[in-house]
Amino acid sequence: MQQKILVLHGPNLNLLGTRQPEIYGDETLQDVNHALHERALLAGWELVYRQSNHEGELIDAIHTARDDGTGAIIINPAAYTHTSIAILDALNAFDGKVIEVHISNVHQREAFRHHSYVSLRADGVIAGLGTQGYHAALEAIMRAAN
């Protein structure tokens, strides 16, 4: 069954490819979205992409997904992972599948990065696979729908 998937990128991910490439790699956000689009297109799925540095805009995108037929969300909440109860609350109001993605292995980093509010709602968490984590999330969602 084909569905719409929201791919939600949090703060500073617009700098992907140039910000701390030793941690996040040299692929840009456009590279990531393009590769996901190519894979989804082959399988007949629709992807919608949003990136924002503003918590409220991310929440608004989740609210929109509740009502527009979106079946799943792939979310990299970035720094909001560790701080945003508001994003958790918005995700708790979404009925579809939620996969949390982190490019770096947050458990090998600073202690404050070890806690995720979003994980309390996520159906799965992928961390430390680089940008391939997004692909793993997409594949998991597509397989679960079949």
Side-chain angles (χ1 to χ4, degrees), residues 111-131:
F112 71 86
R113 295 186 194 275
H114 299 177
H115 174 75
S116 168
Y117 285 105
V118 172
S119 292
L120 295 170
R121 167 55 180 91
D123 298 295
V125 179
I126 300 167
L129 297 180
T131 58

Side-chain angles (χ1 to χ4, degrees), residues 126-144:
I126 300 167
L129 297 180
T131 58
Q132 289 303 306
Y134 287 101
H135 298 275
L138 177 62
E139 293 296 330
I141 289 167
M142 291 191 305
R143 275 191 228 125

Side-chain angles (χ1 to χ4, degrees), residues 76-89 100-102 104-122 125 127:
N76 183 341
Y80 288 133
T81 301
H82 323 290
T83 63
S84 184
I85 295 168
I87 289 175
L88 170 63
D89 287 347
E100 178 182 355
V101 173
H102 298 283
S104 69
N105 183 347
V106 293
H107 303 289
Q108 290 181 335
R109 299 185 64 195
E110 303 93 338
F112 71 86
R113 295 186 194 275
H114 299 177
H115 174 75
S116 168
Y117 285 105
V118 172
S119 292
L120 295 170
R121 167 55 180 91
V125 179

Side-chain angles (χ1 to χ4, degrees), residues 5-18:
I5 300 170
L6 172 63
V7 181
L8 197 55
H9 305 284
N12 298 310
L13 288 168
N14 56 304
L15 301 176
L16 199 58
T18 61

Side-chain angles (χ1 to χ4, degrees), residues 4 13 17 21 29 48 52 62 65 69-70 74 81 96 101-104 114-115 137:
K4 180 170 25 172
L13 288 168
L29 190 60
V48 175
S52 181
I62 295 166
T70 297
I74 298 171
T81 301
V101 173
H102 298 283
I103 295 168
S104 69
H114 299 177
H115 174 75

